[in-house]
Amino acid sequence: EEEEEEEQQELVRRKSKRQKVMSASNQTETQRRQLRHDQRKLYSKMTDTTLNVNEEMGNVESSVLHKVRKENNVLWDNVRYTREAVLDGENIDLISSRAARQ
């Protein structure tokens, strides 16, 4: 029983610490979830072969490439945590590899 109580206290401590970090960022879990959704949606848009985005990104002078970069930069402005930064990195990698193909 004493061990269970210690485990419970440890969980409360971890949760409290996590809440402090979350409040310091001024982002809610819902906002972070929406950001990740938007980042994945942009990635899907860039990789979808039925759209011309995939092909147009190969042209550095294309307005599509500039729009995608701008959209990714807007999303980046809201990144506060590693989890979202990883998705941003994947998007940047895809953008740069498509632009370098030309």
Side-chain angles (χ1 to χ4, degrees), residues 41-93:
K41 191 166 132 183
L42 177 61
Y43 188 89
S44 293
K45 184 166 84 172
M46 291 187 289
T47 57
D48 188 348
T49 56
T50 61
L51 301 175
N52 286 341
V53 174
N54 192 12
E55 292 300 318
E56 288 290 322
M57 285 176 56
N59 180 1
V60 176
E61 296 172 4
S62 167
S63 65
V64 172
L65 177 64
H66 294 290
K67 286 178 186 176
V68 167
R69 282 183 50 229
K70 189 173 186 173
E71 188 175 342
N72 194 62
N73 287 341
V74 168
L75 293 173
W76 167 252
D77 289 340
N78 295 312
V79 171
R80 304 280 183 274
Y81 293 95
T82 306
R83 187 172 178 186
E84 290 81 16
V86 169
L87 292 172
D88 180 74
E90 291 171 358
N91 285 348
I92 289 172
D93 186 48

Side-chain angles (χ1 to χ4, degrees), residues 2-62:
E2 191 174 309
E3 197 172 300
E4 276 184 37
E5 190 173 316
E6 286 177 16
E7 286 179 23
Q8 189 67 19
Q9 288 175 350
E10 178 63 25
L11 286 173
V12 169
R13 247 182 273 132
R14 285 183 191 169
K15 189 174 182 179
S16 174
K17 185 176 180 181
R18 183 174 162 197
Q19 286 174 339
K20 287 177 187 174
V21 170
M22 293 286 286
S23 65
S25 73
N26 294 324
Q27 266 185 334
T28 65
E29 188 61 40
T30 304
Q31 290 169 323
R32 290 182 65 203
R33 194 175 301 117
Q34 182 62 47
L35 175 58
R36 291 191 301 271
H37 172 78
D38 293 344
Q39 289 174 309
R40 289 183 185 110
K41 191 166 132 183
L42 177 61
Y43 188 89
S44 293
K45 184 166 84 172
M46 291 187 289
T47 57
D48 188 348
T49 56
T50 61
L51 301 175
N52 286 341
V53 174
N54 192 12
E55 292 300 318
E56 288 290 322
M57 285 176 56
N59 180 1
V60 176
E61 296 172 4
S62 167

